[in-house]
Amino acid sequence: MTRFRASGRAAGGFGAFAALGGSLLGSALQLQQPVLWPAWGYAGLLCVGVAGMWWRRLPGRGLLLIAVACAAMAGSGLAGLRAVAYAKGALGPALEGRDLRVAGVVSEMPQRNEAGTRFVLDVEAAQWADPSMTGLPAVPDRIALGWYAEGSSLWSRASPASTAVASPHAGERWSLTVRLKAPHGNRNPHGFDGELWMWAQGLHASGHVRAGARDAAPVLVGSTWRHPIERAREAVRDAIFERVPDRARAGVIAALVTGDQNAIDRAGWDVFRATGVAHLMSISGLHVTMFAWLAAHAVGLLWRRSTWLMLRLPAQQAALIGGVLLATLYALFSGWGVPSQRTVWMLATVALLRLTGRRWPWPNVWLLTAAVVVALDPWALMQAGFWLSFVAVGVLFATDAGVRGEQQAGAAARLLRFFREQWTITLAITPLSLLLFQQVSLIGLLANAVAIPWVTLVITPLAMLGVAVPPLWDLAAMAVQALALLLQWLAELPHATLSMAAPPLWLAACGVGGGALLAMRLPWSLRGLGIPLLLPVLLWQAPRPAAGEFELLAADIGQGNAVLVRTATHSLLYDAGPRYSLESDAGHRVLVPLLRAYGERLDTLVVSHRDADHIGGAPAVLAMQPEAALLSSIEATHPLQAMRAARRCEAGQSWSWDGVRFEVLHPFESDYRSFGKPNAVSCVLRIDNGRAVALLAGDIERLQETALVVRTPQLLRADVLLAPHHGSKTSSGAAFLDAVQPRIALVQAGYRNRFGHPAQEVVARYRERGVRLVENTRCGAAHWSSARPAEVGCERERRARYWQHRQPEEAGRPEP
């Protein structure tokens, strides 16, 4: 009988394991769908899955297979139903680019920068800004808005009469004239999915406030009592910046107290990433986990001092409950972001299991926490923060640290155990960070050995106690400065970071397994088995073109140019995309991660000319690629020359890499003496392997196109053309297109850009000649290879997902 019961419990454990794994599998499969099914399809899956799990008649393997299949259907059905319900709130294409008058309440702490203010508005009412329009527009309930001063745009002409930007606050009700567009992000290999982020945040539209002379003035209707936590967060953040004059130190304190990661400037993030401590500032889920662990220790220590409390509730259970509750309060005050929510649900699930006395096998516990989180937020599976938080929680709770044997341990032993657990977290997430971000800090273990206890035990307590006693923020600022000096010194050490190419999924899974083995409390003879699993990841090299062939990758960087050219052993980047703001550019946001994911070491960066939408990301790229030569038409006094001396591009320059010839066609030396606009001296690059030709034309206009047709007509024929000046009506003349005769034309322009690129007349000109026009707003990053010159691959098609924006055929060219 005992053996029968033991076997029954084992079968039940395997069944639970199978069901939990199946639910995760079903959710993951649903996330791979390019388009959503009708709601009744997902409802049917959910009903069949739940009914199947309820009916347990088949023994042994039959039961396990049914459990997996039914749980997968239930998980997929639940995730699909949520997606269908959410998709119904999307912004209609007819509302894009139209002026609307909306009234609503600011629901989150606004973000302010040098250009203006960004905030989230919960819409209560909407109408057309034009009184002659009839009917009421269907505006989403939650929208992201920017309020910018005139002349603050990168391409705007500064005006001395620029309009002032008001300062909205959380909880205020405003009436505003806005212009909206659907969430549309950049789509690049291994890049950040902005559309998924907005989907997970519940944002169906973004836009900007219209406050010009011809627009109805914004009106502050009044303050409300809604969103009290956001109002408190904003008040605390502003108080920190008023108290601490140094913005860099104040930003770190504000990030730790209120969760405002935007308070930390880009230079600070660069140092944190280089030293491997960014997870202490940016991965809020991991920080909440650490806070919960510290809170549980504190509650347990205080609880044991009271005999009356100990008689009513054991200290271990009180520590669990107190840790989860305090972590929940901290997560709420830090913005209740999606990563924080995931971590709180993880902590609550594990605490509930322990409080109910259920001693499940730890694989089951891990899968249960993941299943709970994914049931509440299916899209968490697509985000790096989920996996970092999940690993951190698993390491802390699966090791039973801080619970087993704590009654006999003294204060010194408990402190030593705490440091050991923080070290274990670092060891566990290091290989995972390598796989998720293709970069790891080689001095990260040393930096974390100091930063984790210093941030957790010194800076964070001082920063949070400063809410009640503001002078403590001065001490916190001194502690931040001490840490910053150490991290800055470490970051400047040679070879402080290691970058690697992004491995395929199966190899990445092996690497994660190897890291998990190294972090687990096992004999070193078993831990050592993790090393051979990690080695293939460290040695992985991304595939390259064959000798004599070359590839183009036109990155999706918005309004600007950036094309990566790869041969068998060499790489060139043509232009570096736009600068978005003082703190953001295409180099940091797109190109540096892209080059790192491909494991690229650039030989040459070509900056066609000095316009900001071509040179904006160059400083970040050059900082990452210290060996890259710079070829450009920029003047000798340009600030970029101080970072890397540029060789001036001139017609006739040529070189060969791996059987592929590169030749500059424009500008001629005489063009530098007579040009009026930077566009006129754009470097035009021809790439040829004898079988296929690519022509990268920069921002040349009709006059330069005509000069090329006259000077070098025999060199213009190409299979693929980077459309001159983003498809502007001042370029792509008929004579030039007739000389080039491209099969494919690539257009790199921003979604609904203010210039109307590509111009409708230019689009018609290409179509009349049978040219396939590939726009990055519809295609995402475009892949082209000389081995298949008639084909082009689109990132949005290769990895299509249902949450991605699909641009209507007539959209993207707003009225001037």
Side-chain angles (χ1 to χ4, degrees):
M1 178 65 71
T2 302
R3 181 181 300 176
F4 177 78
R5 289 178 178 173
S7 63
R9 285 194 297 269
F14 282 121
F17 181 87
L20 292 170
S23 67
L24 293 173
L25 176 63
S27 298
L29 291 175
Q30 194 276 330
L31 293 177
Q32 306 305 309
Q33 288 188 291
V35 294
L36 289 172
W37 296 346
W40 58 263
Y42 294 113
L45 274 181
L46 180 61
C47 292
V48 172
V50 171
M53 286 190 294
W54 192 265
W55 184 68
R56 298 181 180 180
R57 299 266 179 166
L58 293 178
R61 294 181 180 178
L63 175 60
L64 293 180
L65 291 175
I66 287 182
V68 170
C70 292
M73 287 190 288
S76 182
L78 181 60
L81 282 175
R82 292 196 59 187
V84 169
Y86 180 82
K88 292 180 179 178
L91 179 73
L95 298 184
E96 289 192 274
R98 307 292 296 275
D99 287 348
L100 306 169
R101 190 72 180 181
V102 299
V105 176
V106 179
S107 61
E108 292 185 4
M109 179 172 60
Q111 301 292 331
R112 300 179 180 90
N113 57 31
E114 75 283 353
T117 303
R118 293 179 290 110
F119 58 98
V120 174
L121 189 76
D122 286 350
V123 178
E124 298 174 324
Q127 61 185 24
W128 298 105
D130 184 354
S132 64
M133 299 288 291
T134 59
L136 296 177
V139 176
D141 295 333
R142 183 175 165 88
I143 59 177
L145 293 175
W147 195 337
Y148 307 111
E150 283 188 31
S152 63
S153 170
L154 181 63
W155 296 280
S156 295
R157 296 176 177 85
S159 169
S162 295
T163 58
V165 175
S167 182
H169 300 282
E172 291 181 344
R173 179 175 284 111
W174 283 81
S175 178
L176 305 165
T177 301
V178 301
R179 185 171 290 182
L180 301 178
K181 63 180 180 180
H184 188 96
N186 300 327
R187 293 290 298 171
N188 292 286
H190 312 288
F192 175 70
D193 191 341
E195 294 167 20
L196 175 61
W197 182 86
M198 292 196 71
W199 179 285
Q201 298 293 318
L203 297 170
H204 275 303
S206 62
H208 61 276
V209 175
R210 303 276 291 175
R214 292 180 296 179
D215 302 301
V219 176
L220 171 60
V221 179
S223 297
T224 71
W225 288 101
R226 294 170 59 181
H227 310 292
I229 293 179
E230 290 298 317
R231 288 172 26 228
R233 292 178 64 219
E234 183 180 2
V236 170
R237 181 195 62 183
D238 294 346
I240 291 172
F241 278 99
E242 289 180 8
R243 178 81 194 187
V244 181
D246 187 276
R247 181 172 178 82
R249 303 183 206 176
V252 173
I253 297 171
L256 293 174
V257 176
T258 68
D260 183 10
Q261 312 303 330
N262 293 306
I264 302 177
D265 59 21
R266 191 170 74 182
W269 282 123
D270 289 342
V271 172
F272 295 148
R273 293 189 183 101
T275 53
V277 302
H279 61 93
L280 293 174
M281 314 295 174
S282 60
I283 306 299
S284 58
L286 182 59
H287 199 78
V288 170
T289 302
M290 294 178 179
F291 183 86
W293 199 245
L294 181 63
H297 275 273
V299 171
L301 182 64
L302 294 174
W303 200 269
R304 290 184 180 88
R305 294 183 177 274
S306 172
T307 305
W308 185 83
L309 292 175
M310 288 286 291
L311 291 174
R312 279 150 183 81
L313 186 66
Q316 296 166 336
Q317 296 183 7
L320 278 175
I321 296 172
V324 172
L325 290 178
L326 289 175
T328 303
L329 291 175
Y330 176 67
L332 285 169
F333 192 76
S334 65
W336 196 237
V338 175
S340 298
Q341 295 178 39
R342 290 196 296 261
T343 306
V344 167
W345 297 128
M346 286 183 184
L347 295 172
T349 302
V350 173
L352 183 61
L353 285 174
R354 288 191 171 180
L355 290 173
T356 55
R358 298 181 182 275
R359 291 293 178 180
W360 285 13
W362 281 108
N364 288 26
V365 176
W366 240 27
L367 286 178
L368 177 60
T369 57
V372 170
V373 171
V374 171
L376 295 168
D377 178 18
W379 307 284
L381 286 170
M382 303 296 294
Q383 301 176 24
F386 167 79
W387 298 104
L388 291 170
S389 302
F390 187 50
V391 168
V393 171
V395 169
L396 286 175
F397 286 94
T399 56
D400 270 350
V403 176
R404 194 172 296 156
E406 189 173 309
Q407 300 90 329
Q408 294 80 20
R414 287 197 295 269
L415 186 61
L416 180 62
R417 184 182 299 113
F418 175 78
F419 287 154
R420 185 176 64 243
E421 292 307 320
Q422 305 311 314
W423 184 266
T424 303
I425 290 175
T426 300
L427 186 61
I429 68 172
T430 293
L432 188 59
S433 299
L434 191 66
L435 298 172
L436 292 172
F437 308 117
Q438 294 83 53
Q439 184 181 35
V440 67
S441 173
L442 296 181
I443 43 88
L445 291 178
L446 174 61
N448 276 280
V450 177
I452 287 177
W454 190 252
V455 171
T456 307
L457 300 178
V458 179
I459 297 178
T460 300
L462 288 173
M464 299 196 70
L465 290 173
V467 176
V469 187
L472 292 178
W473 283 333
D474 298 329
L475 296 178
M478 296 171 61
V480 170
Q481 178 65 12
L483 179 63
L485 290 174
L486 173 63
L487 295 179
Q488 184 68 44
W489 177 75
L490 291 173
E492 293 173 353
L493 293 175
H495 309 295
T497 60
L498 170 68
S499 298
M500 53 157 282
L505 182 59
W506 66 271
L507 200 58
C510 292
V512 172
L517 275 177
L518 289 173
M520 290 176 67
R521 291 189 174 185
L522 295 172
W524 279 106
S525 59
L526 293 178
R527 289 192 189 188
L529 297 177
I531 296 177
L533 292 175
L534 276 175
L535 281 178
V537 177
L538 298 175
L539 300 176
W540 168 258
Q541 296 291 325
R544 299 193 67 88
E549 303 291 350
F550 67 99
E551 294 176 351
L552 303 184
L553 173 58
D556 187 6
I557 40 80
Q559 183 70 25
N561 281 154
V563 180
L564 177 63
V565 186
R566 305 168 74 228
T567 67
T569 61
H570 294 273
S571 299
L572 175 147
L573 182 64
Y574 182 86
D575 279 337
R579 172 185 162 195
Y580 305 120
S581 68
L582 287 179
E583 293 292 323
S584 177
D585 57 62
H588 273 91
R589 283 176 50 179
V590 179
L591 299 177
V592 168
L594 179 66
L595 294 172
R596 185 181 297 128
Y598 275 89
E600 293 294 344
R601 296 293 181 267
L602 287 182
D603 296 277
T604 302
L605 169 63
V606 177
V607 176
S608 62
H609 61 297
R610 71 184 185 199
D611 280 359
D613 54 335
H614 297 254
I615 202 172
V621 172
L622 291 175
M624 178 209 181
Q625 303 283 344
E627 304 299 324
L630 179 60
L631 181 66
S632 181
S633 64
I634 59 175
E635 63 275 17
T637 57
H638 194 281
L640 194 64
Q641 295 273 14
M643 187 174 188
R644 189 77 46 86
R647 184 166 65 122
R648 192 164 77 170
C649 63
E650 291 184 9
Q653 293 170 337
S654 65
W655 65 94
S656 294
W657 288 340
D658 307 313
V660 179
R661 179 178 172 81
F662 294 75
E663 183 175 1
V664 177
L665 303 185
H666 181 83
F668 280 73
E669 193 278 334
S670 58
D671 295 323
Y672 283 101
R673 298 194 299 267
S674 59
F675 75 93
K677 295 195 303 182
N679 290 355
V681 289
S682 290
C683 303
V684 177
L685 185 64
R686 182 179 188 269
I687 309 168
D688 178 19
N689 69 347
R691 296 176 298 279
V693 179
L695 189 64
L696 308 181
D699 273 2
I700 60 172
E701 299 183 350
R702 295 281 182 86
L703 185 60
Q704 292 76 47
E705 291 177 354
T706 302
L708 282 171
V709 171
V710 173
R711 289 167 171 172
T712 55
Q714 73 282 2
L715 297 178
L716 293 182
R717 175 72 179 86
D719 295 278
V720 60
L721 168 69
L722 180 63
H725 203 182
H726 321 287
S728 166
K729 60 184 178 181
T730 62
S731 303
S732 299
F736 180 73
L737 294 185
D738 290 338
V740 178
Q741 299 179 33
R743 299 182 183 184
I744 298 168
L746 305 175
V747 178
Q748 292 184 302
Y751 177 65
R752 300 196 66 85
N753 64 85
R754 62 187 296 266
F755 310 102
H757 296 161
Q760 293 182 3
E761 61 194 76
V762 172
V763 172
R765 203 173 294 141
Y766 279 104
R767 288 177 176 169
E768 288 170 0
R769 289 161 175 79
V771 180
R772 179 182 176 186
L773 199 65
V774 179
E775 301 177 50
N776 65 301
T777 54
R778 303 175 189 275
C779 176
H783 305 257
W784 180 89
S785 172
S786 62
R788 298 174 298 278
E791 301 176 11
V792 62
C794 290
E795 193 67 20
R796 285 186 175 271
E797 296 174 0
R798 289 184 174 185
R799 295 173 177 84
R801 299 294 184 268
Y802 59 80
W803 58 78
Q804 294 173 7
H805 176 233
R806 287 168 174 80
Q807 183 179 349
E809 192 63 30
E810 66 277 4
R813 302 178 184 91
E815 297 177 2

